[in-house]
Amino acid sequence: MSDLEQEIEKLKKENKKLSLESKLRKSMAVELDRQKDLLRQATEEVEAQKEKIEGISLKLSRYLPVQLYEQIFSGSLDIHKKSERKKLTIFFSDIVDFTSISEQIEAEEISEFLSFYLTEMSTIAEKFGGTIDKFIGDAIMIFFGDPQSEGDVQDAKNCVDMAIEMQNRIDALQPYIRKQFSFPANLKIRIGINTGFCNVGNFGSTSRLDYTAIGRGINVASRLESEAESGEILVSENTKILLEDFFEFTSERVVNLKGLPHPVNCFNVSHEKSLNRESILGECFKLVINDSNLSDNDLTKLKAFVAKYSEDSSKNEPKADPN
Amino acid sequence: MSIKETCHCGSVEFTLQNDPMMHFACHCSDCQKLWGNSFFGYAYSTDDISITGEVKKYSFEGGSGNQLHFVFCPECGSKIHSQPDLIEGMIYVPCGMLKEHYEYEPKVEIFSANKASCFAQLKATAESYEHNGTIERISELLENLEQR
Ligand SMILES: [Zn+2]
Ligand SMILES: [Zn+2]
């Protein structure tokens, strides 16, 4: 083979190599584009899926107590869990004369109003950590103490605080409601609250779970609600005993509740929030401070009292008599 | 250097220039059907092969949306090579065809999730991809090309 022929062979080979290289690079570019496309598609699918799930979750959350909804979506819900006996504070409310009011308003407006009203109330319930058990038309059942409890007293306090905020919210919304839903009269609700032991858990079959509370304590709360005056919060003695340090209770009444063998003492709660009161309950002491009315004189007394228990003299043993 | 080989019945003859550019294995379902099991073989440049004798070609659309062509002897059915449109300029030759010439040492395997469990640990396989590993393989081929 001549030098020239060799040179030509070499160039041919080089040319083939370059041509293959360019083909490979082109294939690489095409494949990269294809993968980018796939990635974009997958991202879009994930986004769509996410939106769908969020939509479903949102729908579900309207029908489920928030706590239960969280349990379901965090996976911590055990449907086989038996019901538990727990001390709950139970709340019932309904709208005064709602039946006759709804006869005077268009059906569509009623359902719009109900959706508005229940959303307002649910928002307040959630704020105070209440478990919304159910809506029955305009009636609402909420309880405190399960799945999370902050202790009997705090659970009851949260419940009454929630009730007060609901009553105040209704008052504040009055002009809006009359205007927006052409309500013929002022909207008023009545509230009944009771504290007692109940069975709470997932009742029913596994295909249709009903997380709810049942027991006599529920019935008492429901009866108190129907006994309550328009705009009133009526609590049982059981609830009042827990909360005497926090709220003003007035007008003790004795009511005979249908289906109960004995009359029940109940009390009206004034619509004043418990915010300014603080209370500590120890094993050997009880301290309640009404912060809003604390005078200088009171404060001096309080400081002197607490000073007796400062760290230096924390050992509160009787001093040995020097004589 | 060049290698001369034939199909099983001898009616197709082919020669290969150069050494394989890559030893690799593909466990995709198409390969499993068409090769009889996972593809075990070599990547060559289309320029490296020349074939004499009558062959048949079977083409279909692969998972990537690109055509794949299978070249085989119509007499005995031996598969000579496949050719992907996905990576232009390349052909794949099964290692069984070149048993006399090379020790097959697959460095790359693709669609590994689909392989039969008896191939769980392929000797010498350094890179294992659950996807088509196309980008990785082309990079490898380009590296090999530089050394030619
Ligand atoms: Zn043949
Ligand atoms: Zn394959």
Side-chain angles (χ1 to χ4, degrees), chain A residues 141-199:
Chain A
M141 174 181 164
I142 299 169
F143 57 80
F144 289 74
D146 194 80
Q148 273 95 43
S149 172
E150 296 177 49
D152 298 351
V153 175
Q154 191 59 40
D155 289 343
K157 183 169 175 285
N158 287 338
C159 183
V160 174
D161 269 330
M162 174 193 76
I164 291 170
E165 185 153 328
M166 284 174 171
Q167 289 288 16
N168 292 340
R169 182 77 184 141
I170 294 292
D171 287 343
L173 285 170
Q174 216 60 256
Y176 175 80
I177 290 168
R178 293 201 67 154
K179 190 163 165 268
Q180 190 70 25
F181 303 102
S182 45
F183 249 63
N186 271 354
L187 175 75
K188 289 280 183 191
I189 64 170
R190 58 175 142 241
I191 292 171
I193 294 171
N194 178 40
T195 303
F197 279 98
C198 303
N199 288 309

Side-chain angles (χ1 to χ4, degrees), chain A residues 22-87:
Chain A
S22 96
K23 280 179 187 166
L24 285 175
R25 290 202 184 282
K26 193 183 133 219
S27 296
M28 170 107 82
V30 169
E31 174 67 7
L32 276 174
D33 267 356
R34 192 181 71 91
Q35 286 190 9
K36 235 191 278 169
D37 231 44
L38 282 178
L39 188 67
R40 191 180 45 75
Q41 248 177 50
T43 315
E44 278 171 13
E45 272 165 30
V46 166
E47 283 299 317
Q49 192 73 7
K50 224 173 84 190
E51 261 174 48
K52 204 170 141 195
I53 287 171
E54 273 167 10
I56 292 170
S57 307
L58 191 70
K59 270 189 205 151
L60 258 180
S61 73
R62 288 200 202 113
Y63 299 109
L64 293 175
V66 181
Q67 290 81 350
L68 181 60
Y69 162 73
E70 277 165 3
Q71 280 185 34
I72 289 174
F73 281 88
S74 67
S76 67
L77 176 74
D78 182 1
I79 56 167
H80 302 296
K81 205 177 100 179
K82 292 259 156 46
S83 68
E84 278 178 284
R85 198 157 168 74
K86 284 201 175 167
K87 196 166 190 179

Side-chain angles (χ1 to χ4, degrees), chain B residues 7-12 73-78:
Chain B
C7 67
H8 192 269
C9 71
S11 53
V12 178
C73 165
E75 270 316 303
C76 66
S78 304

